[in-house]
Amino acid sequence: YKFGAMKPEAIAKIPPQYAHKFAVVGDLMADITDIPPPPPFVRGGPEEKDSPLSPPFQRGAGGDNTSHSPLSPPFSRGAGGDLIPHDQEIIGMLPGSKPAKLAQGVPLTLAIAQNIRATRPQTHFVIPVAPTVELATLARFADRDRNPLVAKLGGVGGRLVEGYRFLLTDGGVKVELWRQTPAYDLLSRCRLCITTVGANTAELGSLGVPMVVLLPTQQLDAMRAWDGLPGLLANLPLAGSGFAKAINWLVLRQGRLFAWPNIWAGEEVVPELLGELEPEAIADLIIDLLTHPQKLEIMRDRLLALRGEPGAAEKLARLVLSLL
């Protein structure tokens, strides 16, 4: 058997007797960014029924496919019937996929979005919904009557509207719910993303998408994905919550880095905000980044410098063929 690694540093500490089993192949996510976008959806074409572009389009009064979403990939149909590319300021919001994270992540990101929209009305917000998360689950965590953490994280609730395609905040901000997975094309178009810790920080980093990473501590037992014994203790029935709080309290006091790009770099490349977070302060930080795009470009360049080389898919395929 063989192992593929993203960068030479990943296999530098492998014992010499096993080194022959490893090969540097590069970064699969780098390959994704090189895939050309799909062709525009053509009304009446042979691909109409099965086209991945057809779901976002709704039938208009005149029979044309008219997008009701500013984010429908990669084009929307203008008033004259022509396909026009989008050039809009999009912020992706990744509140998590597990209940403990969603309980904090959903109300916090909704409150941040509402604060940003007050200053930047041109900004669009979208949640790429994890395939394991039901829309009703998102709505439950956005409901102030069903999620007590809404009051502690900015006090902004939300509800599903327009056929469950949006979360509408109390202040009237629409957050689109993106159901197509994987959402790499969408994420690549985001000016930046607001995210929790986890594998998504590695994906965003490899895509070169600037991000702000949130670690709210209003509910200290939310993080339970630790390796080894801490992870086992944190996920025990009944007692797991207590162990999780104690473990997280100890870990947070260590001042360690949590986002994967920061771990790879050994320093903070993307902001990690830790503590009892206030949505107004986070919104101010994001508005500053949006107002000074050179800061986002620096972050993007540093993220791209951290990822592996493209071509991993072909190299992995050759590696598999060599074993057959």
Side-chain angles (χ1 to χ4, degrees), residues 98-104 149 216-217 219-226 241 244-245 248:
K98 302 292 178 59
K101 283 188 176 181
L102 290 169
Q104 297 185 101
L149 287 175
T217 58
Q219 182 172 297
L220 200 54
D221 64 344
M223 294 187 295
R224 302 194 185 196
W226 303 113
S241 178
K245 290 179 180 178
N248 291 335

Side-chain angles (χ1 to χ4, degrees), residues 6-116:
M6 184 175 74
K7 302 179 75 173
E9 294 85 346
I11 59 177
K13 297 182 180 180
I14 299 298
Q17 64 268 33
Y18 301 116
H20 67 283
K21 295 182 178 293
F22 292 81
V24 177
V25 297
D27 194 339
L28 283 169
M29 295 296 292
D31 289 351
I32 290 174
T33 60
D34 293 333
I35 296 175
F41 177 78
V42 179
R43 177 77 177 95
E47 75 282 9
E48 176 177 357
K49 182 177 180 181
D50 298 319
S51 169
L53 300 182
S54 55
F57 290 85
Q58 304 293 329
R59 186 82 62 196
D64 292 330
N65 284 333
T66 303
S67 172
H68 296 289
S69 162
L71 305 175
S72 301
F75 301 98
S76 66
R77 194 172 296 280
D82 297 328
L83 290 172
I84 55 175
H86 291 296
D87 184 19
Q88 298 179 350
E89 183 173 280
I90 304 170
I91 292 180
M93 306 197 308
L94 291 77
S97 58
K98 302 292 178 59
K101 283 188 176 181
L102 290 169
Q104 297 185 101
V106 170
L108 180 57
T109 52
L110 290 181
I112 294 169
Q114 189 158 291
N115 277 276
I116 293 173

Side-chain angles (χ1 to χ4, degrees), residues 22 44 78 94 100 119 130 136 140 147 158 163 171 208 225 227 245 271 280 299 320:
F22 292 81
L94 291 77
T119 301
R140 174 163 57 90
N147 182 7
D227 295 325
K245 290 179 180 178
E280 296 84 1
M299 196 185 304
V320 171

Side-chain angles (χ1 to χ4, degrees), residues 91-96 101 105 108-109 112 192-202 204 209-216 259 270-273 277 286:
I91 292 180
M93 306 197 308
L94 291 77
K101 283 188 176 181
L108 180 57
T109 52
I112 294 169
L192 64 79
C193 284
I194 307 167
T195 181
T196 60
V197 296
N200 46 299
T201 63
L204 292 172
V209 179
M211 70 192 89
V212 174
V213 182
L214 308 180
L215 292 93
V270 299
E272 292 186 10
L273 306 182
L277 303 179
I286 293 172

Side-chain angles (χ1 to χ4, degrees), residues 172-213:
V173 176
K174 282 185 178 180
V175 177
E176 181 161 359
L177 303 175
W178 189 266
R179 302 301 305 276
Q180 297 182 52
T181 58
Y184 299 139
D185 179 64
L186 168 70
L187 293 172
S188 296
R189 294 173 53 208
C190 291
R191 196 68 56 87
L192 64 79
C193 284
I194 307 167
T195 181
T196 60
V197 296
N200 46 299
T201 63
E203 292 179 333
L204 292 172
S206 290
L207 290 171
V209 179
M211 70 192 89
V212 174
V213 182

Side-chain angles (χ1 to χ4, degrees), residues 73-311:
F75 301 98
S76 66
R77 194 172 296 280
D82 297 328
L83 290 172
I84 55 175
H86 291 296
D87 184 19
Q88 298 179 350
E89 183 173 280
I90 304 170
I91 292 180
M93 306 197 308
L94 291 77
S97 58
K98 302 292 178 59
K101 283 188 176 181
L102 290 169
Q104 297 185 101
V106 170
L108 180 57
T109 52
L110 290 181
I112 294 169
Q114 189 158 291
N115 277 276
I116 293 173
R117 177 60 68 82
T119 301
R120 298 182 72 86
Q122 74 273 29
T123 305
H124 296 275
F125 302 92
V126 58
I127 295 177
V129 182
T132 57
V133 176
E134 298 292 333
L135 296 185
T137 302
L138 285 178
R140 174 163 57 90
F141 288 119
D143 188 341
R144 62 175 66 252
D145 295 327
R146 303 172 69 187
N147 182 7
L149 287 175
V150 172
K152 297 181 180 180
L153 290 158
V156 176
R159 57 188 176 87
L160 292 171
V161 296
E162 297 187 27
Y164 298 166
R165 294 185 58 246
F166 297 90
L167 273 176
L168 181 68
T169 73
D170 298 336
V173 176
K174 282 185 178 180
V175 177
E176 181 161 359
L177 303 175
W178 189 266
R179 302 301 305 276
Q180 297 182 52
T181 58
Y184 299 139
D185 179 64
L186 168 70
L187 293 172
S188 296
R189 294 173 53 208
C190 291
R191 196 68 56 87
L192 64 79
C193 284
I194 307 167
T195 181
T196 60
V197 296
N200 46 299
T201 63
E203 292 179 333
L204 292 172
S206 290
L207 290 171
V209 179
M211 70 192 89
V212 174
V213 182
L214 308 180
L215 292 93
T217 58
Q218 278 88 337
Q219 182 172 297
L220 200 54
D221 64 344
M223 294 187 295
R224 302 194 185 196
W226 303 113
D227 295 325
L229 182 60
L232 294 174
L233 293 174
N235 287 281
L236 285 174
L238 301 179
S241 178
F243 278 117
K245 290 179 180 178
I247 293 167
N248 291 335
W249 183 81
L250 291 171
V251 170
L252 295 176
R253 286 175 60 89
Q254 295 174 0
R256 58 171 289 186
L257 298 168
F258 292 93
W260 278 109
N262 294 343
I263 294 172
W264 294 334
E267 61 180 351
E268 191 171 276
V269 175
V270 299
E272 292 186 10
L273 306 182
L274 168 67
E276 295 198 4
L277 303 179
E278 297 290 338
E280 296 84 1
I282 301 169
D284 288 343
L285 169 64
I286 293 172
I287 290 169
D288 178 71
L289 291 171
L290 295 172
T291 306
H292 300 89
Q294 66 274 19
K295 295 182 179 181
L296 293 176
E297 285 303 312
I298 291 172
M299 196 185 304
R300 185 186 307 277
D301 290 344
R302 295 191 68 188
L303 289 171
L304 292 176
L306 287 171
R307 76 180 187 182
E309 296 294 325

